[in-house]
Amino acid sequence: MGKIIATEGFWRIGKTSLCKRLDKRIKKAKFIYEPDHLKLKNRPGNVEYWYLKKWKEKMELAKKYKEKGCIVIMERSFVSTLSFSKALGKKITRPMKKLIKYHEENVPDIMIILEAPPLFLKRIIFNKTDKKILKIPILYKEKKFFIKYTKYLHKFVDDFKIEHFYVKVANDSNFYPLSSIVDIVLKKLKEEAPLR
């Protein structure tokens, strides 16, 4: 039987690296990358609506893979979009509400939430050499943004009743070895969401 596993956590915390490793370690895995509006030539008018729409497309694809017995590994989920929007104090539009209703009824089977201490996250955010971070000014210009974002991410995971577990990936100054993080995640998945 297939499963849909989503990974969540703050920017640059290691979601992509983890997903790629899980893709290699789990039999019959399918990796679905997160959508990225920064790669578009023309920026969408309502970025949050665009993301919710893309997440619907990706969830529909994930469900098809799941029906075929695949273990789907999704990089992020619609929860990221809602958390980002809420942390910025943006209003939910009527078209967004319809998409949120869809997502409420189509959540991942389990979510892995990567965590790191605030000091470590600050170091990532305010490192001005990170080109990906520099493309999203709000991440380093609004000093409390990452605290708000993380708070709302946890809130929405609870509100949507998504099965989840947390994995600490760093101490105040360094990432833990990726191989040990992967082993911890695989062990927790085996305990909480058997892959067969």
Side-chain angles (χ1 to χ4, degrees):
M1 183 181 170
K3 292 240 179 250
I4 299 174
I5 302 166
T7 58
E8 279 293 357
F10 203 74
W11 278 256
R12 319 307 275 163
I13 203 169
K15 293 179 299 299
T16 307
S17 299
L18 174 63
C19 287
K20 285 179 178 176
R21 277 299 174 91
L22 292 177
D23 187 34
K24 287 180 182 175
R25 294 275 303 269
I26 297 172
K27 289 180 183 179
K28 214 172 177 186
K30 290 285 184 184
F31 178 19
I32 298 180
Y33 284 89
E34 69 174 304
D36 187 353
H37 78 285
L38 296 174
K39 293 179 180 176
L40 300 175
K41 285 184 180 178
N42 300 314
R43 184 185 165 100
N46 183 330
V47 175
E48 289 78 17
Y49 175 69
W50 181 86
Y51 270 99
L52 287 174
K53 214 168 137 184
K54 287 294 172 188
W55 281 124
K56 181 179 179 182
E57 291 170 15
K58 288 185 181 286
M59 181 52 81
E60 286 300 307
L61 177 62
K63 284 161 63 180
K64 284 178 185 174
Y65 284 141
K66 179 183 173 179
E67 284 172 15
K68 293 177 182 177
C70 296
I71 304 299
V72 184
I73 300 157
M74 295 181 77
E75 182 184 21
R76 288 201 186 276
S77 70
F78 73 99
V79 174
S80 290
T81 302
L82 294 181
S83 305
F84 188 88
S85 183
K86 193 77 175 168
L88 291 178
K90 293 192 172 185
K91 290 185 178 178
I92 304 290
T93 64
R94 188 174 293 168
M96 283 173 71
K97 283 179 182 174
K98 286 184 181 178
L99 285 168
I100 291 167
K101 183 69 179 165
Y102 163 84
H103 289 298
E104 190 176 358
E105 295 165 359
N106 294 274
V107 298
D109 294 307
I110 194 154
M111 187 174 281
I112 305 160
I113 303 174
L114 304 183
E115 291 192 307
L119 278 176
F120 182 82
L121 294 178
K122 279 183 184 176
R123 193 167 62 82
I124 291 174
I125 297 161
F126 299 114
N127 174 5
K128 296 295 186 355
T129 60
D130 192 324
K131 290 177 184 174
K132 184 85 172 177
I133 293 286
L134 289 173
K135 286 182 180 178
I136 313 169
I138 190 68
L139 296 186
Y140 56 88
K141 286 186 176 175
E142 171 59 64
K143 294 190 184 275
K144 290 190 178 176
F145 175 80
F146 82 93
I147 295 168
K148 290 180 189 173
Y149 172 87
T150 304
K151 178 184 119 183
Y152 285 118
L153 188 139
H154 294 178
K155 180 185 182 312
F156 284 122
V157 168
D158 289 338
D159 287 353
F160 286 93
K161 296 178 175 61
I162 303 170
E163 293 291 325
H164 62 281
F165 61 83
Y166 296 94
V167 178
K168 197 167 184 178
V169 298
N171 56 31
D172 284 345
S173 54
N174 294 302
F175 275 112
Y176 298 137
L178 180 58
S179 57
S180 65
I181 294 167
V182 172
D183 288 342
I184 289 165
V185 167
L186 287 171
K187 185 181 176 186
K188 288 200 173 199
L189 284 172
K190 194 174 180 182
E191 291 167 359
E192 302 188 31
L195 302 181
R196 292 184 182 218

